[in-house]
Amino acid sequence: MKVKVAFQGERGAFSEQAGYAFFGDRMIPIALHSFEEVFKSVKKGDVDYGVIPIENSLYGSIHQNYDLLQRHNVYIVGEVKLRIKHYLLANYGVRMSDVKKIYSHPQALAQCEDFLKKLKGVEIIPTYDTAGSAKMIKEKKILDGAAIAGKQAGKYYGLKTLKSGIENHEKNFTRFLILSKRKIIARKNPKTSIIFTTKNIPGALFSALGVFAYRYINLLKIESRPIIGQPWRYMFYLDFEGSIEDEICADAISELKKMTQYYKFLGTYEKGREVE
Amino acid sequence: MKVKVAFQGERGAFSEQAGYAFFGDRMIPIALHSFEEVFKSVKKGDVDYGVIPIENSLYGSIHQNYDLLQRHNVYIVGEVKLRIKHYLLANYGVRMSDVKKIYSHPQALAQCEDFLKKLKGVEIIPTYDTAGSAKMIKEKKILDGAAIAGKQAGKYYGLKTLKSGIENHEKNFTRFLILSKRKIIARKNPKTSIIFTTKNIPGALFSALGVFAYRYINLLKIESRPIIGQPWRYMFYLDFEGSIEDEICADAISELKKMTQYYKFLGTYEKGREVE
């Protein structure tokens, strides 16, 4: 059965690639302009799922999406850890020696700095988007330039790979979350994400983490975000191993709730594999 | 005695304003292009101090500066919590009814959205900088437009305030840190910032926070950042109440060091006041 999957960006974006890694050929990709539109279209049921990036292993968290997870009632139902592999893409017929201009998003350009530094007489041109650069060289039939983007962009716009794996760091992964308006609890290799705020007393965070530590529940990530209107107080996003339906985790959460001012369950989902 | 103080941005920036709030008239402002240049000029001794924004109470941390604190050997020696109050600034002679265009950085425009929505027939034009917009309307002698920027920008460029406090949220503060290459331990109302990584075992963060909790040392903030080259492992930045020279804190740190793979002291400095 086909599923409609929304993501932010141009067709061929890394988010689309993450979607295909998760859903395979069942996926009907729906490209939207903003992360907020992805959340809204999942909530309204216009699409079956959404895919959003949540953190990069070199640059850290995408905070806008943390904030949107708190504000919108959607569930996390899956995870993908996509290796961010950059490709130098060009129209068919263009050779490496023809390339006088290279287009991409500033962050992708920075990630490929070592490769770009070695090129002589090539102009580096920042653009709004990686997949958008691939689209542009295709549409404008550019024959003296190339774009830096992901594999999916090359495939979608029918471009040739001049060079692959041109990023500085090979351990460059982005973790993506799969969103649904239905709560679906994973049974296999589960992890759980929650949000909470502690009471404003010394040792509050320590006590909150204690409900997990005393039960040997492994914490995978903690992220703090400001509480709006209460300067210098924070909300905590926690990822831990296990399912909300495990007795031991359910126990931990019921103890945690007694210590918190605010608590929200985001989802229990299968731990993501690392994919290319 | 005069002190040279570096900050990122155009003259009149909020960072400059934070510098004046801390140093008063002793400050000789040095405007630089990037945060990294601020760190480098402090380290090289080209300036006496640097001022950098570290977090905003509505939008969260400025991660680039967290990463720079880890990479550069400078100390935090002070803190300022600046109320981000936006002013609608124009050349003298321009009245509110003359304003057909408003220029500012996209984030400042977003922060003043409620005010801007009420205006009729005014074009909103995003620019690269708040103080830079003030500079531009002054230099180009624009008579049908205004800029949104801070008080310091109005003062520096000699502009008139058409309206003040036009931001949506009055609890909009940015916390700035004062950097020095000399370690100076504050005695009055001290707080301390450190960085550490835990060993990769369950309960490691909980145990690390325990060295503070068991001593009733109050944690003020925790921030996690990725460890480069080790996907899904994190470095923790911790702010706590007290001085590194207090026996109880020194004790806690010596216990913490036994549990960590990496530890760095960033500074003990006086807790910042909230200023306008």
Side-chain angles (χ1 to χ4, degrees), chain A residues 55 59 63 222 224-225 234, chain B residues 55 63 222 224-225 234:
Chain A
E55 68 170 323
Y59 304 97
H63 290 107
I222 185 166
S224 60
R225 292 291 301 149
Y234 306 91
Chain B
E55 69 170 321
H63 291 107
I222 185 167
S224 61
R225 292 292 300 150
Y234 305 91

Side-chain angles (χ1 to χ4, degrees), chain B:
Chain B
M1 208 183 64
K2 294 277 185 184
V3 287
K4 278 193 199 171
V5 182
F7 60 93
Q8 183 275 330
E10 293 283 352
R11 287 296 315 273
F14 283 108
S15 292
E16 179 181 329
Q17 196 171 324
Y20 277 115
F22 192 85
F23 294 104
D25 291 339
R26 296 195 298 141
M27 164 161 153
I28 303 167
I30 311 287
L32 299 176
H33 287 295
S34 70
F35 293 132
E36 182 139 36
E37 284 177 66
V38 174
F39 278 83
K40 283 184 177 165
S41 76
V42 169
K43 206 158 57 173
K44 277 170 48 188
D46 293 346
V47 295
D48 301 296
Y49 299 98
V51 185
I52 55 157
I54 195 72
E55 69 170 321
N56 177 276
S57 63
L58 300 177
Y59 304 98
S61 297
I62 292 107
H63 291 107
Q64 197 192 339
N65 282 335
Y66 272 96
D67 294 349
L68 289 166
L69 281 170
Q70 194 264 317
R71 290 216 307 276
H72 292 273
N73 283 322
V74 297
Y75 294 98
I76 305 170
V77 298
E79 182 185 61
V80 176
K81 292 166 177 165
L82 184 71
R83 160 93 187 274
I84 301 301
K85 196 167 172 179
H86 287 299
Y87 288 69
L88 189 67
L89 302 168
N91 284 299
Y92 279 88
V94 174
R95 285 161 311 171
M96 195 64 215
S97 56
D98 301 328
V99 174
K100 299 296 167 220
K101 290 171 180 174
I102 293 180
Y103 303 88
S104 197
H105 187 276
Q107 202 168 47
L109 293 171
Q111 290 178 12
C112 300
E113 205 186 359
D114 296 346
F115 167 76
L116 293 172
K117 263 189 204 159
K118 286 183 211 138
L119 303 176
K120 304 278 176 227
V122 173
E123 194 185 350
I124 308 300
I125 302 168
T127 64
Y128 71 104
D129 190 45
T130 52
S133 304
K135 182 182 178 186
M136 195 265 295
I137 64 163
K138 180 69 179 188
E139 286 181 350
K140 293 195 176 170
K141 300 189 179 65
I142 288 174
L143 298 177
D144 65 344
I148 294 175
K151 187 171 65 177
Q152 187 66 28
K155 210 164 138 185
Y156 182 73
Y157 296 108
L159 296 168
K160 190 175 78 170
T161 298
L162 290 179
K163 201 143 180 98
S164 70
I166 57 171
E167 64 279 359
N168 306 343
H169 271 277
E170 60 174 24
K171 293 203 170 169
N172 185 358
F173 288 90
T174 297
R175 191 160 68 87
F176 292 86
L177 300 178
I178 312 295
L179 307 177
S180 162
K181 75 169 178 176
R182 284 195 310 133
K183 178 155 78 175
I184 307 165
I185 304 295
R187 291 177 187 279
K188 198 179 145 199
N189 211 1
K191 66 185 275 190
T192 297
S193 297
I194 60 169
I195 312 176
F196 64 89
T197 64
T198 60
K199 289 173 185 159
N200 196 8
I201 48 171
L205 178 61
F206 173 70
S207 304
L209 299 187
V211 311
F212 300 97
Y214 291 135
R215 289 173 178 83
Y216 302 102
I217 297 169
N218 197 16
L219 298 189
L220 299 167
K221 177 164 195 212
I222 185 167
E223 183 76 40
S224 61
R225 292 292 300 150
I227 303 179
I228 305 306
Q230 297 182 50
W232 330 122
R233 295 208 56 220
Y234 305 91
M235 213 173 268
F236 298 102
Y237 290 73
L238 208 69
D239 294 348
F240 58 86
E241 270 177 0
S243 164
I244 198 73
E245 292 182 344
D246 292 347
E247 205 185 320
I248 198 166
C249 292
D251 244 33
I253 295 298
S254 96
E255 195 182 330
L256 178 73
K257 281 181 180 170
K258 292 177 201 154
M259 313 179 173
T260 54
Q261 290 195 318
Y262 167 86
Y263 167 83
K264 186 180 180 183
F265 169 73
L266 294 177
T268 288
Y269 46 100
E270 186 179 346
K271 259 190 178 181
R273 289 171 307 122
E274 295 187 347
V275 295
E276 267 202 17

Side-chain angles (χ1 to χ4, degrees), chain A residues 107 109 114 145 213 216 258:
Chain A
Q107 200 167 48
L109 293 170
D114 297 346
Y216 302 103
K258 291 176 201 155

Side-chain angles (χ1 to χ4, degrees), chain A residues 215-235:
Chain A
R215 290 173 178 83
Y216 302 103
I217 297 169
N218 196 18
L219 298 189
L220 300 167
K221 178 164 195 210
I222 185 166
E223 183 76 40
S224 60
R225 292 291 301 149
I227 302 179
I228 305 305
Q230 296 182 51
W232 331 121
R233 294 210 55 220
Y234 306 91
M235 213 172 268

